[in-house]
Amino acid sequence: MLNRLSSFKIISLSFLLLIVLGTGLLMLPAATNDGQGAPLLTALFTTVSASCVTGLTVENTALYWSHWGQAVILVLIQIGGLGVVTMAVALTMASGRRIDLRQRSTIQEAWGCSQLGGIVRILRFVLRLTVGLELAGAAVLAPVFCRDYGLGEGLWMAFFHSISAFCNAGFDLMGERGGGSLMAYAGDPVVNLVIIGLIISGGLGFITWADLFDKGWRWKHYHVQTKIILCMTVLLILLPAALLFFRDLAAEPLSQRVLMALFQAVTPRTAGFNTMDIESLTEAGRIVLVGLMLTGGAPGSTAGGVKVTTAFVLMASAVASLRMKTDIACFKRRIAPQSLQQAVTIFLLYLGLFAGSTFLISEIDAIPVIDCMVETSSALGTVGLSIGLTEHLSVASQLILIGLMYFGRVGALTMIYTLNNQYRPNRGRLPEEKITVG
């Protein structure tokens, strides 16, 4: 039966199976501190949020879930961050079995690789990179957390937050300490810089990292996609950081202000941690937050959103139109028309889901639209930032968020190809007709 499924359907179904398994595990009595097990909706919402590396919660992770439940959530984050298919193929490799063509093709689609060759080599590199960065992050965080929470709890927290940050999940174990999330460490340079580094590393994408390691510091030899991702990443960090620094964080001490502005510019693009009170943001700040959450990270990464490459192609197309050029060009290369078509489709899908779900939740729960925009963009972009609404929403609204998280993690193109049984090539071309626009 699996042989008849396309790679895209396998990717979609693999996340569904992970969600079913995770929900069952979190409903067990051992998963919660009260020994009663989680209700179905709580377990389902948490599992979807963890496996789709979002970070939205209906219960406090540190206070509600036992260490066993937290371990289940962490495993879901790790599998969801790398991808269920990636983890399954990694286990196949570890058992000494050969990776067949179908498995290679599925990984190619999951990561958005342009070619099938070298997939196994890249997979080995990805696994080493993931383990190396997560262990390094935990090692640097451990002294800080062990100092504050003791050896055993400190090591667990360092390990948990390192994986959560690299996988761009945003789950934390702080409970109510310091206001929640990482607000207690707003002025700590070690925690801030390590978490920022892990978030950016996970959000750059595995193919980008492979290109960087292959080419070293030779910018001219990078693939165009790598150049786009690096430029957009820098741009989407510096501009929001400057806005937050001069507006929403103007009252903070200078040294802490710099860290908070930088941290809060990085995390909305899919990580979900925060060192400032999101509820205190001005409306302008919330709009910037929504834009960053919907944009997300790089394709083939642990990040969600429409992806920075999609945003770049749309902007490049607009620039080309303004300059009366028929081709979209960047870095001395012409972007394929198919890329623009896919970018427009993805953007409109995300925009439609975002607007529709915002309207529905606002109507169902009688919540201001601007507040709903933060929650829906957070779910759709698999970010996890919240202004405290998620746990108070109705069952219907929480189910809408569950659907958005799943769509955001699986991806728009995967969903499109999953719902379409086969590619239908054009048998012929109809006569062309020019339509006036604008």
Side-chain angles (χ1 to χ4, degrees):
M1 180 179 176
L2 283 175
N3 291 332
R4 291 197 293 267
L5 295 177
S6 67
S7 299
F8 299 104
K9 288 182 179 179
I10 291 174
I11 294 169
S12 301
L13 289 174
S14 66
F15 275 98
L16 287 177
L17 291 174
L18 180 64
I19 289 168
V20 171
L21 178 61
T23 302
L25 291 174
L26 291 181
M27 290 178 70
L28 296 176
T32 57
N33 280 322
D34 61 8
Q36 301 297 313
L40 175 60
L41 183 60
T42 300
L44 175 63
F45 193 99
T46 305
T47 299
V48 173
S49 184
S51 59
C52 296
V53 290
T54 305
L56 288 175
T57 59
V58 290
E59 296 289 349
N60 191 294
T61 308
L63 304 178
Y64 185 80
W65 303 104
S66 66
H67 280 96
W68 190 86
Q70 292 169 11
V72 171
I73 291 172
L74 189 61
V75 171
L76 291 171
I77 289 171
Q78 186 71 87
I79 295 175
L82 288 177
V84 184
V85 173
T86 302
M87 294 297 290
V89 174
L91 290 174
T92 302
M93 289 172 55
S95 66
R97 287 182 290 174
R98 187 175 178 275
I99 309 301
D100 61 32
L101 185 61
R102 184 171 186 76
Q103 291 172 314
R104 295 168 191 252
S105 176
T106 305
I107 293 178
Q108 179 193 13
E109 301 296 351
W111 289 351
C113 296
S114 58
Q115 58 187 24
L116 192 59
I119 285 293
V120 174
R121 178 182 61 83
I122 296 175
L123 175 59
R124 291 195 181 98
F125 165 78
V126 166
L127 295 175
R128 289 195 299 268
L129 176 74
T130 300
V131 173
L133 288 175
E134 288 176 350
L135 288 178
V140 179
L141 291 172
V144 178
F145 290 139
C146 288
R147 177 198 66 198
D148 295 340
Y149 307 107
L151 181 61
E153 189 68 16
L155 289 174
W156 172 239
M157 292 182 71
F159 192 63
F160 188 99
H161 288 94
S162 181
I163 292 177
S164 183
F166 179 78
C167 292
N168 283 207
F171 277 84
D172 69 87
L173 298 180
M174 293 299 165
E176 299 299 329
R177 304 179 185 106
S181 193
L182 296 176
M183 289 177 63
Y185 294 94
D188 190 309
V190 173
V191 174
N192 276 261
L193 295 178
V194 169
I195 297 296
I196 286 172
L198 289 169
I199 291 170
I200 294 173
S201 298
L204 282 179
F206 302 126
I207 303 303
T208 304
W209 275 111
D211 195 27
L212 292 175
F213 273 79
D214 284 343
K215 310 293 174 47
W217 295 98
R218 295 171 293 180
W219 171 266
K220 292 192 296 185
H221 296 277
Y222 292 158
H223 293 142
V224 171
Q225 177 166 305
T226 300
K227 294 178 180 179
I228 291 172
I229 289 169
L230 293 176
C231 290
M232 289 292 289
T233 298
V234 172
L235 181 68
L236 292 174
I237 290 174
L238 294 182
L239 289 182
L243 178 65
L244 290 169
F245 182 86
F246 289 109
R247 185 175 175 84
D248 290 86
L249 297 170
E252 300 293 335
L254 183 60
S255 59
Q256 185 167 310
R257 188 175 167 191
V258 172
L259 286 175
M260 291 175 72
L262 184 62
F263 190 95
Q264 217 52 58
V266 170
T267 191
R269 286 191 31 248
T270 193
F273 293 109
N274 60 284
T275 55
M276 64 175 292
D277 186 4
I278 302 301
E279 295 182 52
S280 68
L281 283 173
T282 60
E283 284 200 358
R286 294 189 185 190
I287 293 296
V288 171
L289 198 72
V290 168
L292 290 172
M293 290 193 288
L294 288 176
T295 302
S301 71
T302 58
V306 299
K307 304 295 188 295
V308 292
T309 47
T310 302
F312 180 88
V313 169
L314 292 174
M315 290 189 297
S317 174
V319 171
S321 294
L322 289 171
R323 298 177 64 188
M324 303 297 288
K325 292 183 177 292
T326 56
D327 291 335
I328 307 171
C330 66
F331 301 110
K332 299 181 180 179
R333 292 291 187 274
R334 180 168 51 87
I335 296 176
Q338 184 185 11
S339 297
L340 175 60
Q341 186 180 40
Q342 291 177 340
V344 172
T345 303
I346 292 168
F347 176 74
L348 291 177
L349 270 175
Y350 270 84
L351 185 63
L353 282 171
F354 168 64
S357 56
T358 297
F359 173 79
L360 283 175
I361 292 176
S362 178
E363 287 296 309
I364 292 171
D365 289 294
I367 297 171
V369 171
I370 186 67
D371 293 340
C372 293
M373 288 171 64
V374 175
E375 303 296 311
T376 53
S377 60
S378 182
L380 188 57
T382 68
V383 179
L385 287 175
S386 174
I387 55 174
L389 285 181
T390 303
E391 60 267 33
H392 304 298
L393 294 176
S394 63
V395 173
S397 294
Q398 289 183 3
L399 290 174
I400 290 173
L401 293 183
I402 287 173
L404 291 177
M405 288 188 286
Y406 176 76
F407 178 90
R409 182 64 187 102
V410 173
L413 284 182
T414 301
M415 292 298 294
I416 291 169
Y417 290 129
T418 297
L419 297 174
N420 287 278
N421 292 326
Q422 59 184 5
Y423 173 70
R424 299 177 179 85
N426 290 328
R427 300 294 181 184
R429 303 187 71 180
L430 296 172
E432 185 179 277
E433 184 76 20
K434 185 174 181 179
I435 297 175
T436 303
V437 295

